[in-house]
Amino acid sequence: MSPAPADPLEYKPLDGGWGWMVVIGAHISIGFAYATPKVLSIFFNEIQQDLGSSFSEIALISSIMLAAMYAGGPVSSAMVNRFGSRPIVMLGGLLCGVSMITASFGTSIIYLYFCIGVIGGCGLSLNLNASLIIISKYFLKRRPLANGLAMAGSPVFLCVLAPFNQYLLVNFGWRGSLLILGGLMLHCCVAGALMRPVPLPCKPPSYALEKTVEEQPNSGNTKLKKRFVKNAKKFLDFSLFKDRGFVIYLIGSIMFIFGAYAPIVFLSAYAKSQGVEEYSAAYLLSIMGFVDMFVRPGTGLIANSKLVRPRIQYFFSFALVFNGTCHLLCPLIKSYAFLVVYAVFFGIGFGMVFALIFECLMDLMGSQRFPRAVGLVTIIECFPMLLGPPAAGLLVDVYHDYKYLFLMCGSVILTGGLFLFVMNIYNYHMLDKERQKQVRASEVEMKLTPQAGTGQTEPEAKERNVALRDPENTETTD
Amino acid sequence: MIPGKRRAAVMSFSAAIFGALLLQSVSSQNEPSITASEHTTLPVEGDMYMLQCNLTSYQNIHQESYWTKNGEEIPETRSPNRNTEYKLHKPRGDDAGVYMCVFTFDLSPSANATIEVKSAPEITGHKRSENRNEGQRALLYCKSVGYPHPAWTWRKFDNGIYREIDNSTGRFFVSSKDNYTELHIIDLDIGLDPGEYSCNATNMIGSREEKSVLRVRSHLAPLWPLLGVLAEIIILIVIIVVYEKRKKPEDLQDGESPVFYSSAVCDIYEEKLCSSSFEMDLLLCAVSLLLRNL
């Protein structure tokens, strides 16, 4: 007798062994994904001189790349669901490498927009989502730690690539540097090779069952329309909005992303306006990145502990509140020493949030719904991410004072954190109620059909409950 | 003619001439004269140098006075005084130039006096290094401050000494103006052009020079690192895939994961799926089979 279709965990995730190699692969993949749009700005000056365009036209390259990376989320998730992580990460790495290599031959800014921005951004989006999804498949008990280690790739690659790009620029010019950078991005293919597919027992795919059922009553147009709707649902699953926890998480993370990037963009300008010299101001960002590198795995470790794991959403909201408070206190700082302290705390807050941001989504959605959820989340996060820094820049232009920027970002993030905290109290309360209802229901069922109780740990029980709440478990996963 | 009338005519004629002469001497007496400070050469002792102008004699009503430097009026120097001063605080190279105090009058043209503040040239801006690809054009520049404006020369460091630039190939262009000079090199040659260049500024007080380094990159330079990286990536992928293929049969024998069916069973289901012909899915099926075996 085949297992019940709603039973998701027929396998125990590895939680170790080859999983750590997968984490290394994800580390490389995520590192390139987040660091590349930022470090490309090192080349902008020379590209601007060579191609003769304005600074805002050049800066658009980074924005297009980031937008494509986030907007490609749903497509990437759908492809991973279909083909598995490994071919997608290899394809992503290939796209990125090809995009940089072809961009090095560019003669016009539009060509660069297309090569680096669109193609590169698509490659990075494939990398990012596939890496996150495979972590959710390989880990359960140690998942926060794995997430923290993988997300640490972003600051590590930023710290390594920034001076390296400068060295390449001096020695090879921007064209040669893009050529070599393209070659380096092919390391994402290596990362993909590490992502061995998780062997799953293949139940006769419910896909096939559904088809045989569908074949009989329908014909012609209605069949095509149903399949079209189903395919559209594969990309953007709006039924996720019915999930309370998902909506709460989404609102909180939108508020965070809106306020998160502007302080980074304007930190050195603010320091210079306070009278700090140029090199020391740039140094602040390196301090932040360096601290971030260690905070992410550390947060993963803390989030993995028995105390924090069951209430990880509270930890996430604490991280947001910490971040927001940090920004609100920044305008009070006048001296360089305190700016360094601010940079350290900013790094801590930023690292904490980013180590947890996808772990919390996995926690809420479970590994079955996570691919669809992450696709939806990334495409929605595209908007606050693109709107945040320009809105902050507008504040600076209007008031000629950086303190309003920090006040705005800090208050938005703080509000998001408090909102998450309060709503999660409500959410956990409702979840507990639902779990008690299910326990009572299964107790009744057990009384009718005596069966040995399954010994499950709490995360596994949670996965089961999360999946049971998801009626549309029709996809076969790899 | 009546003798009395002739005498009157002569009298009035001589009076007119005398009057004209008198007027001339009076007007020459009325031309304003200014006593001004001496011309000087920087650096000077002390923290401050004062430029002074005194309007000693004038006829018409004096309106106001102001200072100009190198032909442009210095702001906030207008005053109604006859004695006017301009302070130079800690005068340095960029304080050198031609200073002029100007006195304006209601009814006659303004009067001025010139004070020259000279100094040796100081080079304030130059490119320390310039990196370009071969065939491109390079631009080296030098900016200076000081007065009088220097004469610029560019030299290249060749075999131990600085020599004049050899322009037999016609690729070097120098354009100098006052306190700024540029050296353009077109169609860079990777063999001849790289090296150290120096711009020399010389005026009657002294001379200075600064060095710039020009590096020419070859087009093929990035190709070798790229090939190296590609080779490394291919080796890594081969190692990983080979390791996995060799480990797979051992995995199944160890019984590490007893719950799992072999992938062959899954393939059977996959084929059944493909055989139930759904038009659009057939292609997707084939592709997915291919990628699943990657």
Side-chain angles (χ1 to χ4, degrees), chain B residues 196-260:
Chain B
E196 224 174 71
Y197 290 80
S198 88
C199 61
N200 181 307
T202 306
N203 71 4
M204 56 196 258
I205 316 286
S207 85
R208 293 272 192 287
E209 66 181 328
E210 280 292 348
K211 301 189 190 74
S212 305
V213 177
L214 177 67
R215 289 191 204 100
V216 182
R217 304 184 280 236
S218 106
H219 281 306
L220 293 178
L223 218 58
W224 294 113
L226 179 69
L227 290 176
V229 168
L230 286 176
E232 175 224 340
I233 287 173
I234 292 176
I235 292 174
L236 280 175
I237 293 184
V238 163
I239 292 176
I240 293 171
V241 170
V242 164
Y243 176 75
E244 185 174 321
K245 296 293 177 212
R246 292 183 71 182
K247 207 148 194 293
K248 242 191 192 166
E250 292 168 20
D251 259 343
L252 288 176
Q253 282 172 9
D254 276 351
E256 251 175 27
S257 32
V259 192
F260 304 131

Side-chain angles (χ1 to χ4, degrees), chain B residues 63-105:
Chain B
Q63 201 180 39
E64 62 176 4
S65 63
Y66 60 89
W67 287 87
T68 66
K69 177 183 176 184
N70 296 331
E72 278 177 26
E73 182 182 335
I74 305 173
E76 291 169 24
T77 51
R78 286 198 177 237
S79 77
N81 301 336
R82 279 168 41 199
N83 298 344
T84 177
E85 291 176 342
Y86 184 63
K87 291 197 185 83
L88 293 173
H89 293 279
K90 288 202 184 132
R92 290 184 319 262
D94 52 354
D95 289 314
V98 178
Y99 289 86
M100 206 157 67
C101 55
V102 182
F103 292 91
T104 57
F105 300 99

